[in-house]
Amino acid sequence: MVWLTPAEARTAMRVGKMPKNVDWYGGFVGLFPCIAIWAVSAVFVFIETSDSNRLQAIPAFIIFGLLCGYGIYCLLKEREVTPLETGLNLASNRKLAESAFNHLGWSIQQNNKHVIQAMIPSQWLGTGQVVVVLIKDGELHINTMNQSTGKGRLPFFLSDSREKTALFIRTVERLNLA
């Protein structure tokens, strides 16, 4: 779970990123098997002298190198917050975010003056996600990240997090116009 203090919420809104105390480093542990395979293939590409072994290892070296790079990119993007201008005061923004969570059927876990956090249940073979909405006058700041029950999760679900953030934003905009 992500439990933010009011000071952490203000800092996250100012810098545009969630704090590092979120289970962010667990994704690097999840990348370890990919990095290990990439390192082993590097040994065969650069150290092994047999041409047949080298030719077989080059595709693995390239594929797992790209996969590791994408995983690191996902981890770096995971903590970013998306601002959404509403033009409403703090209390109205809280009600709007609560209504959007209720409309989507996501269960609210934390609800205070500046932070509302909800859980998106995991779907079949998927991972559960946490949506954090940081609230201030005139705007909401939204972050969706994959939840992990412990250290060592795969970080490759960035597109699913973006889709959930976009769904939440569309719901807020639709409710704000109503």
PDB file of all heavy atoms in Angstrom, residues 25-43 60-61 63-72 75 154-156:
ATOM      1  N   TYR A  25      11.538   0.057  -5.797  1.00  0.00           N
ATOM      2  CA  TYR A  25      12.748  -0.735  -5.980  1.00  0.00           C
ATOM      3  C   TYR A  25      12.446  -2.223  -6.181  1.00  0.00           C
ATOM      4  O   TYR A  25      13.275  -2.955  -6.685  1.00  0.00           O
ATOM      5  CB  TYR A  25      13.692  -0.544  -4.789  1.00  0.00           C
ATOM      6  CG  TYR A  25      14.158   0.885  -4.660  1.00  0.00           C
ATOM      7  CD1 TYR A  25      13.730   1.682  -3.617  1.00  0.00           C
ATOM      8  CD2 TYR A  25      14.997   1.435  -5.612  1.00  0.00           C
ATOM      9  CE1 TYR A  25      14.145   2.992  -3.510  1.00  0.00           C
ATOM     10  CE2 TYR A  25      15.413   2.748  -5.521  1.00  0.00           C
ATOM     11  CZ  TYR A  25      14.993   3.519  -4.458  1.00  0.00           C
ATOM     12  OH  TYR A  25      15.393   4.814  -4.365  1.00  0.00           O
ATOM     13  N   GLY A  26      11.247  -2.645  -5.798  1.00  0.00           N
ATOM     14  CA  GLY A  26      10.870  -4.034  -6.010  1.00  0.00           C
ATOM     15  C   GLY A  26      10.862  -4.408  -7.479  1.00  0.00           C
ATOM     16  O   GLY A  26      11.081  -5.564  -7.834  1.00  0.00           O
ATOM     17  N   GLY A  27      10.638  -3.435  -8.355  1.00  0.00           N
ATOM     18  CA  GLY A  27      10.662  -3.697  -9.784  1.00  0.00           C
ATOM     19  C   GLY A  27      12.049  -4.059 -10.274  1.00  0.00           C
ATOM     20  O   GLY A  27      12.200  -4.851 -11.206  1.00  0.00           O
ATOM     21  N   PHE A  28      13.093  -3.504  -9.654  1.00  0.00           N
ATOM     22  CA  PHE A  28      14.445  -3.875 -10.040  1.00  0.00           C
ATOM     23  C   PHE A  28      14.736  -5.321  -9.655  1.00  0.00           C
ATOM     24  O   PHE A  28      15.430  -6.021 -10.379  1.00  0.00           O
ATOM     25  CB  PHE A  28      15.480  -2.932  -9.410  1.00  0.00           C
ATOM     26  CG  PHE A  28      15.543  -1.609 -10.097  1.00  0.00           C
ATOM     27  CD1 PHE A  28      15.049  -0.479  -9.492  1.00  0.00           C
ATOM     28  CD2 PHE A  28      16.073  -1.498 -11.378  1.00  0.00           C
ATOM     29  CE1 PHE A  28      15.095   0.741 -10.133  1.00  0.00           C
ATOM     30  CE2 PHE A  28      16.120  -0.285 -12.030  1.00  0.00           C
ATOM     31  CZ  PHE A  28      15.629   0.846 -11.403  1.00  0.00           C
ATOM     32  N   VAL A  29      14.174  -5.767  -8.531  1.00  0.00           N
ATOM     33  CA  VAL A  29      14.318  -7.173  -8.159  1.00  0.00           C
ATOM     34  C   VAL A  29      13.591  -8.041  -9.177  1.00  0.00           C
ATOM     35  O   VAL A  29      14.080  -9.093  -9.575  1.00  0.00           O
ATOM     36  CB  VAL A  29      13.787  -7.421  -6.728  1.00  0.00           C
ATOM     37  CG1 VAL A  29      13.833  -8.890  -6.372  1.00  0.00           C
ATOM     38  CG2 VAL A  29      14.580  -6.599  -5.714  1.00  0.00           C
ATOM     39  N   GLY A  30      12.430  -7.566  -9.658  1.00  0.00           N
ATOM     40  CA  GLY A  30      11.695  -8.296 -10.688  1.00  0.00           C
ATOM     41  C   GLY A  30      12.432  -8.350 -12.011  1.00  0.00           C
ATOM     42  O   GLY A  30      12.234  -9.261 -12.805  1.00  0.00           O
ATOM     43  N   LEU A  31      13.305  -7.378 -12.248  1.00  0.00           N
ATOM     44  CA  LEU A  31      14.108  -7.365 -13.471  1.00  0.00           C
ATOM     45  C   LEU A  31      15.312  -8.300 -13.390  1.00  0.00           C
ATOM     46  O   LEU A  31      15.942  -8.570 -14.405  1.00  0.00           O
ATOM     47  CB  LEU A  31      14.648  -5.949 -13.731  1.00  0.00           C
ATOM     48  CG  LEU A  31      13.826  -5.026 -14.574  1.00  0.00           C
ATOM     49  CD1 LEU A  31      14.501  -3.673 -14.689  1.00  0.00           C
ATOM     50  CD2 LEU A  31      13.562  -5.587 -15.936  1.00  0.00           C
ATOM     51  N   PHE A  32      15.647  -8.770 -12.216  1.00  0.00           N
ATOM     52  CA  PHE A  32      16.866  -9.549 -12.036  1.00  0.00           C
ATOM     53  C   PHE A  32      16.965 -10.752 -12.967  1.00  0.00           C
ATOM     54  O   PHE A  32      18.030 -10.971 -13.555  1.00  0.00           O
ATOM     55  CB  PHE A  32      17.028  -9.987 -10.579  1.00  0.00           C
ATOM     56  CG  PHE A  32      18.286 -10.755 -10.357  1.00  0.00           C
ATOM     57  CD1 PHE A  32      19.517 -10.115 -10.338  1.00  0.00           C
ATOM     58  CD2 PHE A  32      18.254 -12.133 -10.194  1.00  0.00           C
ATOM     59  CE1 PHE A  32      20.692 -10.820 -10.158  1.00  0.00           C
ATOM     60  CE2 PHE A  32      19.417 -12.849 -10.010  1.00  0.00           C
ATOM     61  CZ  PHE A  32      20.642 -12.193  -9.991  1.00  0.00           C
ATOM     62  N   PRO A  33      15.924 -11.568 -13.157  1.00  0.00           N
ATOM     63  CA  PRO A  33      16.059 -12.705 -14.096  1.00  0.00           C
ATOM     64  C   PRO A  33      16.394 -12.250 -15.515  1.00  0.00           C
ATOM     65  O   PRO A  33      17.220 -12.871 -16.185  1.00  0.00           O
ATOM     66  CB  PRO A  33      14.692 -13.392 -14.053  1.00  0.00           C
ATOM     67  CG  PRO A  33      14.101 -12.983 -12.755  1.00  0.00           C
ATOM     68  CD  PRO A  33      14.627 -11.611 -12.469  1.00  0.00           C
ATOM     69  N   CYS A  34      15.808 -11.157 -15.952  1.00  0.00           N
ATOM     70  CA  CYS A  34      16.085 -10.630 -17.291  1.00  0.00           C
ATOM     71  C   CYS A  34      17.541 -10.173 -17.380  1.00  0.00           C
ATOM     72  O   CYS A  34      18.231 -10.458 -18.364  1.00  0.00           O
ATOM     73  CB  CYS A  34      15.128  -9.480 -17.572  1.00  0.00           C
ATOM     74  SG  CYS A  34      15.357  -8.710 -19.172  1.00  0.00           S
ATOM     75  N   ILE A  35      18.004  -9.472 -16.350  1.00  0.00           N
ATOM     76  CA  ILE A  35      19.392  -8.998 -16.332  1.00  0.00           C
ATOM     77  C   ILE A  35      20.357 -10.175 -16.293  1.00  0.00           C
ATOM     78  O   ILE A  35      21.403 -10.156 -16.957  1.00  0.00           O
ATOM     79  CB  ILE A  35      19.611  -8.033 -15.148  1.00  0.00           C
ATOM     80  CG1 ILE A  35      18.809  -6.747 -15.370  1.00  0.00           C
ATOM     81  CG2 ILE A  35      21.086  -7.712 -14.954  1.00  0.00           C
ATOM     82  CD1 ILE A  35      18.746  -5.833 -14.161  1.00  0.00           C
ATOM     83  N   ALA A  36      19.996 -11.215 -15.541  1.00  0.00           N
ATOM     84  CA  ALA A  36      20.871 -12.391 -15.443  1.00  0.00           C
ATOM     85  C   ALA A  36      21.002 -13.088 -16.798  1.00  0.00           C
ATOM     86  O   ALA A  36      22.112 -13.450 -17.213  1.00  0.00           O
ATOM     87  CB  ALA A  36      20.341 -13.356 -14.389  1.00  0.00           C
ATOM     88  N   ILE A  37      19.902 -13.274 -17.499  1.00  0.00           N
ATOM     89  CA  ILE A  37      19.957 -13.910 -18.820  1.00  0.00           C
ATOM     90  C   ILE A  37      20.748 -13.035 -19.792  1.00  0.00           C
ATOM     91  O   ILE A  37      21.533 -13.542 -20.603  1.00  0.00           O
ATOM     92  CB  ILE A  37      18.536 -14.202 -19.344  1.00  0.00           C
ATOM     93  CG1 ILE A  37      17.866 -15.259 -18.460  1.00  0.00           C
ATOM     94  CG2 ILE A  37      18.574 -14.657 -20.799  1.00  0.00           C
ATOM     95  CD1 ILE A  37      16.403 -15.460 -18.750  1.00  0.00           C
ATOM     96  N   TRP A  38      20.563 -11.727 -19.714  1.00  0.00           N
ATOM     97  CA  TRP A  38      21.303 -10.811 -20.570  1.00  0.00           C
ATOM     98  C   TRP A  38      22.809 -10.913 -20.293  1.00  0.00           C
ATOM     99  O   TRP A  38      23.610 -10.946 -21.222  1.00  0.00           O
ATOM    100  CB  TRP A  38      20.798  -9.385 -20.357  1.00  0.00           C
ATOM    101  CG  TRP A  38      21.462  -8.367 -21.209  1.00  0.00           C
ATOM    102  CD1 TRP A  38      21.372  -8.236 -22.566  1.00  0.00           C
ATOM    103  CD2 TRP A  38      22.331  -7.333 -20.771  1.00  0.00           C
ATOM    104  NE1 TRP A  38      22.122  -7.176 -22.996  1.00  0.00           N
ATOM    105  CE2 TRP A  38      22.717  -6.600 -21.913  1.00  0.00           C
ATOM    106  CE3 TRP A  38      22.805  -6.938 -19.528  1.00  0.00           C
ATOM    107  CZ2 TRP A  38      23.568  -5.507 -21.840  1.00  0.00           C
ATOM    108  CZ3 TRP A  38      23.640  -5.847 -19.455  1.00  0.00           C
ATOM    109  CH2 TRP A  38      24.023  -5.146 -20.603  1.00  0.00           C
ATOM    110  N   ALA A  39      23.172 -11.004 -19.008  1.00  0.00           N
ATOM    111  CA  ALA A  39      24.593 -11.107 -18.652  1.00  0.00           C
ATOM    112  C   ALA A  39      25.192 -12.428 -19.143  1.00  0.00           C
ATOM    113  O   ALA A  39      26.322 -12.458 -19.651  1.00  0.00           O
ATOM    114  CB  ALA A  39      24.764 -10.969 -17.145  1.00  0.00           C
ATOM    115  N   VAL A  40      24.440 -13.517 -19.011  1.00  0.00           N
ATOM    116  CA  VAL A  40      24.939 -14.816 -19.489  1.00  0.00           C
ATOM    117  C   VAL A  40      25.110 -14.790 -21.003  1.00  0.00           C
ATOM    118  O   VAL A  40      26.111 -15.281 -21.538  1.00  0.00           O
ATOM    119  CB  VAL A  40      23.994 -15.960 -19.046  1.00  0.00           C
ATOM    120  CG1 VAL A  40      24.325 -17.252 -19.762  1.00  0.00           C
ATOM    121  CG2 VAL A  40      24.066 -16.146 -17.542  1.00  0.00           C
ATOM    122  N   SER A  41      24.157 -14.207 -21.703  1.00  0.00           N
ATOM    123  CA  SER A  41      24.295 -14.129 -23.158  1.00  0.00           C
ATOM    124  C   SER A  41      25.467 -13.225 -23.551  1.00  0.00           C
ATOM    125  O   SER A  41      26.134 -13.481 -24.558  1.00  0.00           O
ATOM    126  CB  SER A  41      22.996 -13.656 -23.810  1.00  0.00           C
ATOM    127  OG  SER A  41      22.690 -12.332 -23.439  1.00  0.00           O
ATOM    128  N   ALA A  42      25.752 -12.211 -22.748  1.00  0.00           N
ATOM    129  CA  ALA A  42      26.907 -11.339 -23.013  1.00  0.00           C
ATOM    130  C   ALA A  42      28.206 -12.122 -22.900  1.00  0.00           C
ATOM    131  O   ALA A  42      29.145 -11.897 -23.676  1.00  0.00           O
ATOM    132  CB  ALA A  42      26.910 -10.159 -22.047  1.00  0.00           C
ATOM    133  N   VAL A  43      28.253 -13.056 -21.954  1.00  0.00           N
ATOM    134  CA  VAL A  43      29.447 -13.893 -21.821  1.00  0.00           C
ATOM    135  C   VAL A  43      29.665 -14.693 -23.099  1.00  0.00           C
ATOM    136  O   VAL A  43      30.785 -14.764 -23.615  1.00  0.00           O
ATOM    137  CB  VAL A  43      29.322 -14.830 -20.599  1.00  0.00           C
ATOM    138  CG1 VAL A  43      30.393 -15.908 -20.611  1.00  0.00           C
ATOM    139  CG2 VAL A  43      29.376 -14.025 -19.312  1.00  0.00           C
ATOM    140  N   ALA A  60      19.692 -13.455 -28.253  1.00  0.00           N
ATOM    141  CA  ALA A  60      19.305 -13.366 -26.839  1.00  0.00           C
ATOM    142  C   ALA A  60      19.885 -12.115 -26.194  1.00  0.00           C
ATOM    143  O   ALA A  60      19.216 -11.435 -25.405  1.00  0.00           O
ATOM    144  CB  ALA A  60      19.766 -14.607 -26.084  1.00  0.00           C
ATOM    145  N   PHE A  61      21.128 -11.788 -26.537  1.00  0.00           N
ATOM    146  CA  PHE A  61      21.772 -10.602 -25.994  1.00  0.00           C
ATOM    147  C   PHE A  61      20.999  -9.343 -26.388  1.00  0.00           C
ATOM    148  O   PHE A  61      20.722  -8.475 -25.552  1.00  0.00           O
ATOM    149  CB  PHE A  61      23.222 -10.518 -26.486  1.00  0.00           C
ATOM    150  CG  PHE A  61      23.949  -9.297 -26.032  1.00  0.00           C
ATOM    151  CD1 PHE A  61      24.401  -9.187 -24.730  1.00  0.00           C
ATOM    152  CD2 PHE A  61      24.187  -8.249 -26.912  1.00  0.00           C
ATOM    153  CE1 PHE A  61      25.067  -8.056 -24.300  1.00  0.00           C
ATOM    154  CE2 PHE A  61      24.857  -7.122 -26.498  1.00  0.00           C
ATOM    155  CZ  PHE A  61      25.303  -7.021 -25.187  1.00  0.00           C
ATOM    156  N   ILE A  63      17.752  -9.131 -27.537  1.00  0.00           N
ATOM    157  CA  ILE A  63      16.376  -9.150 -27.034  1.00  0.00           C
ATOM    158  C   ILE A  63      16.327  -8.844 -25.543  1.00  0.00           C
ATOM    159  O   ILE A  63      15.543  -7.999 -25.093  1.00  0.00           O
ATOM    160  CB  ILE A  63      15.708 -10.505 -27.350  1.00  0.00           C
ATOM    161  CG1 ILE A  63      15.458 -10.619 -28.855  1.00  0.00           C
ATOM    162  CG2 ILE A  63      14.401 -10.668 -26.576  1.00  0.00           C
ATOM    163  CD1 ILE A  63      15.066 -11.998 -29.324  1.00  0.00           C
ATOM    164  N   PHE A  64      17.156  -9.515 -24.754  1.00  0.00           N
ATOM    165  CA  PHE A  64      17.112  -9.289 -23.309  1.00  0.00           C
ATOM    166  C   PHE A  64      17.703  -7.933 -22.933  1.00  0.00           C
ATOM    167  O   PHE A  64      17.308  -7.339 -21.929  1.00  0.00           O
ATOM    168  CB  PHE A  64      17.782 -10.434 -22.551  1.00  0.00           C
ATOM    169  CG  PHE A  64      16.890 -11.632 -22.465  1.00  0.00           C
ATOM    170  CD1 PHE A  64      17.041 -12.698 -23.344  1.00  0.00           C
ATOM    171  CD2 PHE A  64      15.872 -11.694 -21.538  1.00  0.00           C
ATOM    172  CE1 PHE A  64      16.206 -13.795 -23.284  1.00  0.00           C
ATOM    173  CE2 PHE A  64      15.029 -12.783 -21.469  1.00  0.00           C
ATOM    174  CZ  PHE A  64      15.197 -13.848 -22.348  1.00  0.00           C
ATOM    175  N   GLY A  65      18.621  -7.402 -23.733  1.00  0.00           N
ATOM    176  CA  GLY A  65      19.110  -6.044 -23.498  1.00  0.00           C
ATOM    177  C   GLY A  65      18.004  -5.017 -23.698  1.00  0.00           C
ATOM    178  O   GLY A  65      17.839  -4.096 -22.890  1.00  0.00           O
ATOM    179  N   LEU A  66      17.236  -5.177 -24.785  1.00  0.00           N
ATOM    180  CA  LEU A  66      16.109  -4.286 -25.026  1.00  0.00           C
ATOM    181  C   LEU A  66      15.028  -4.438 -23.960  1.00  0.00           C
ATOM    182  O   LEU A  66      14.445  -3.449 -23.512  1.00  0.00           O
ATOM    183  CB  LEU A  66      15.523  -4.545 -26.419  1.00  0.00           C
ATOM    184  CG  LEU A  66      16.405  -4.157 -27.599  1.00  0.00           C
ATOM    185  CD1 LEU A  66      15.791  -4.639 -28.916  1.00  0.00           C
ATOM    186  CD2 LEU A  66      16.631  -2.656 -27.627  1.00  0.00           C
ATOM    187  N   LEU A  67      14.769  -5.666 -23.542  1.00  0.00           N
ATOM    188  CA  LEU A  67      13.773  -5.922 -22.505  1.00  0.00           C
ATOM    189  C   LEU A  67      14.184  -5.285 -21.178  1.00  0.00           C
ATOM    190  O   LEU A  67      13.356  -4.674 -20.492  1.00  0.00           O
ATOM    191  CB  LEU A  67      13.576  -7.431 -22.342  1.00  0.00           C
ATOM    192  CG  LEU A  67      12.339  -7.898 -21.615  1.00  0.00           C
ATOM    193  CD1 LEU A  67      11.083  -7.395 -22.297  1.00  0.00           C
ATOM    194  CD2 LEU A  67      12.326  -9.409 -21.547  1.00  0.00           C
ATOM    195  N   CYS A  68      15.455  -5.381 -20.824  1.00  0.00           N
ATOM    196  CA  CYS A  68      15.956  -4.737 -19.594  1.00  0.00           C
ATOM    197  C   CYS A  68      15.833  -3.224 -19.697  1.00  0.00           C
ATOM    198  O   CYS A  68      15.432  -2.556 -18.742  1.00  0.00           O
ATOM    199  CB  CYS A  68      17.405  -5.122 -19.333  1.00  0.00           C
ATOM    200  SG  CYS A  68      17.636  -6.832 -18.867  1.00  0.00           S
ATOM    201  N   GLY A  69      16.167  -2.670 -20.847  1.00  0.00           N
ATOM    202  CA  GLY A  69      16.037  -1.226 -21.046  1.00  0.00           C
ATOM    203  C   GLY A  69      14.593  -0.762 -20.923  1.00  0.00           C
ATOM    204  O   GLY A  69      14.313   0.264 -20.295  1.00  0.00           O
ATOM    205  N   TYR A  70      13.668  -1.534 -21.497  1.00  0.00           N
ATOM    206  CA  TYR A  70      12.253  -1.182 -21.390  1.00  0.00           C
ATOM    207  C   TYR A  70      11.776  -1.289 -19.945  1.00  0.00           C
ATOM    208  O   TYR A  70      11.003  -0.449 -19.472  1.00  0.00           O
ATOM    209  CB  TYR A  70      11.409  -2.074 -22.300  1.00  0.00           C
ATOM    210  CG  TYR A  70       9.936  -1.778 -22.210  1.00  0.00           C
ATOM    211  CD1 TYR A  70       9.427  -0.552 -22.646  1.00  0.00           C
ATOM    212  CD2 TYR A  70       9.056  -2.702 -21.678  1.00  0.00           C
ATOM    213  CE1 TYR A  70       8.081  -0.274 -22.552  1.00  0.00           C
ATOM    214  CE2 TYR A  70       7.704  -2.430 -21.582  1.00  0.00           C
ATOM    215  CZ  TYR A  70       7.224  -1.213 -22.014  1.00  0.00           C
ATOM    216  OH  TYR A  70       5.884  -0.936 -21.920  1.00  0.00           O
ATOM    217  N   GLY A  71      12.234  -2.298 -19.229  1.00  0.00           N
ATOM    218  CA  GLY A  71      11.861  -2.444 -17.821  1.00  0.00           C
ATOM    219  C   GLY A  71      12.342  -1.265 -16.986  1.00  0.00           C
ATOM    220  O   GLY A  71      11.607  -0.746 -16.137  1.00  0.00           O
ATOM    221  N   ILE A  72      13.549  -0.817 -17.230  1.00  0.00           N
ATOM    222  CA  ILE A  72      14.080   0.342 -16.500  1.00  0.00           C
ATOM    223  C   ILE A  72      13.301   1.602 -16.871  1.00  0.00           C
ATOM    224  O   ILE A  72      12.960   2.414 -16.002  1.00  0.00           O
ATOM    225  CB  ILE A  72      15.593   0.500 -16.762  1.00  0.00           C
ATOM    226  CG1 ILE A  72      16.331  -0.668 -16.098  1.00  0.00           C
ATOM    227  CG2 ILE A  72      16.114   1.829 -16.257  1.00  0.00           C
ATOM    228  CD1 ILE A  72      17.788  -0.793 -16.485  1.00  0.00           C
ATOM    229  N   LEU A  75      10.090   1.553 -14.956  1.00  0.00           N
ATOM    230  CA  LEU A  75      10.299   1.904 -13.556  1.00  0.00           C
ATOM    231  C   LEU A  75      10.511   3.402 -13.373  1.00  0.00           C
ATOM    232  O   LEU A  75      10.056   3.984 -12.389  1.00  0.00           O
ATOM    233  CB  LEU A  75      11.490   1.135 -12.988  1.00  0.00           C
ATOM    234  CG  LEU A  75      11.249  -0.350 -12.760  1.00  0.00           C
ATOM    235  CD1 LEU A  75      12.552  -1.035 -12.396  1.00  0.00           C
ATOM    236  CD2 LEU A  75      10.207  -0.570 -11.680  1.00  0.00           C
ATOM    237  N   LEU A 154       7.339  -7.715 -11.624  1.00  0.00           N
ATOM    238  CA  LEU A 154       7.758  -7.337 -12.970  1.00  0.00           C
ATOM    239  C   LEU A 154       7.290  -5.916 -13.260  1.00  0.00           C
ATOM    240  O   LEU A 154       6.142  -5.574 -12.995  1.00  0.00           O
ATOM    241  CB  LEU A 154       7.175  -8.297 -14.004  1.00  0.00           C
ATOM    242  CG  LEU A 154       7.722  -9.716 -13.958  1.00  0.00           C
ATOM    243  CD1 LEU A 154       6.989 -10.584 -14.970  1.00  0.00           C
ATOM    244  CD2 LEU A 154       9.205  -9.735 -14.228  1.00  0.00           C
ATOM    245  N   PRO A 155       8.145  -5.061 -13.800  1.00  0.00           N
ATOM    246  CA  PRO A 155       7.772  -3.669 -14.039  1.00  0.00           C
ATOM    247  C   PRO A 155       7.164  -3.401 -15.410  1.00  0.00           C
ATOM    248  O   PRO A 155       6.971  -2.267 -15.778  1.00  0.00           O
ATOM    249  CB  PRO A 155       9.122  -2.948 -13.923  1.00  0.00           C
ATOM    250  CG  PRO A 155      10.098  -3.943 -14.437  1.00  0.00           C
ATOM    251  CD  PRO A 155       9.569  -5.289 -13.989  1.00  0.00           C
ATOM    252  N   PHE A 156       6.825  -4.440 -16.163  1.00  0.00           N
ATOM    253  CA  PHE A 156       6.454  -4.262 -17.566  1.00  0.00           C
ATOM    254  C   PHE A 156       4.982  -3.964 -17.790  1.00  0.00           C
ATOM    255  O   PHE A 156       4.482  -4.148 -18.877  1.00  0.00           O
ATOM    256  CB  PHE A 156       6.834  -5.503 -18.362  1.00  0.00           C
ATOM    257  CG  PHE A 156       8.290  -5.836 -18.272  1.00  0.00           C
ATOM    258  CD1 PHE A 156       8.722  -6.938 -17.573  1.00  0.00           C
ATOM    259  CD2 PHE A 156       9.228  -5.018 -18.872  1.00  0.00           C
ATOM    260  CE1 PHE A 156      10.061  -7.240 -17.482  1.00  0.00           C
ATOM    261  CE2 PHE A 156      10.576  -5.300 -18.785  1.00  0.00           C
ATOM    262  CZ  PHE A 156      10.989  -6.425 -18.088  1.00  0.00           C
TER     263      PHE A 156
END
